Amino acid sequence: MSIATPLSLPAVTSRLASPLSLRPRTSESKRVVRRVSSQSLLDGERELVIQHQGSEYHLRLTRNDKLILTK
């Protein structure tokens, strides 16, 4: 039976994943995310059905001009 030796603090911290804010930026994080206005999606209507992987999702515009997405 062998006895495990304790790790020093630097050895332990180097094994931990660094927080996202401290990770170097990669080319993937610099990609541009496409933006679409809700007005152009709804096109004057109050509800839109989105089909995704065989399911239907409903995007609704409420009386208070909030968006709700339900399955």
Side-chain angles (χ1 to χ4, degrees):
M1 179 168 120
S2 64
I3 299 174
T5 57
L7 294 172
S8 65
L9 186 57
V12 171
T13 56
S14 68
R15 292 181 183 201
L16 299 174
S18 62
L20 289 175
S21 61
L22 298 178
R23 291 185 183 165
R25 292 187 177 236
T26 63
S27 60
E28 191 173 312
S29 65
K30 293 180 184 178
R31 67 185 176 108
V32 176
V33 177
R34 191 176 85 160
R35 294 183 186 272
V36 179
S37 74
S38 60
Q39 291 173 342
S40 66
L41 279 176
L42 293 169
D43 195 28
E45 302 294 326
R46 300 200 65 83
E47 184 173 357
L48 169 71
V49 177
I50 302 169
Q51 295 179 340
H52 176 68
Q53 295 183 349
S55 295
E56 288 189 350
Y57 294 82
H58 295 259
L59 181 66
R60 291 185 181 95
L61 182 62
T62 69
R63 287 183 224 146
N64 296 325
D65 289 326
K66 304 286 182 183
L67 292 175
I68 298 177
L69 181 65
T70 57
K71 188 171 182 181

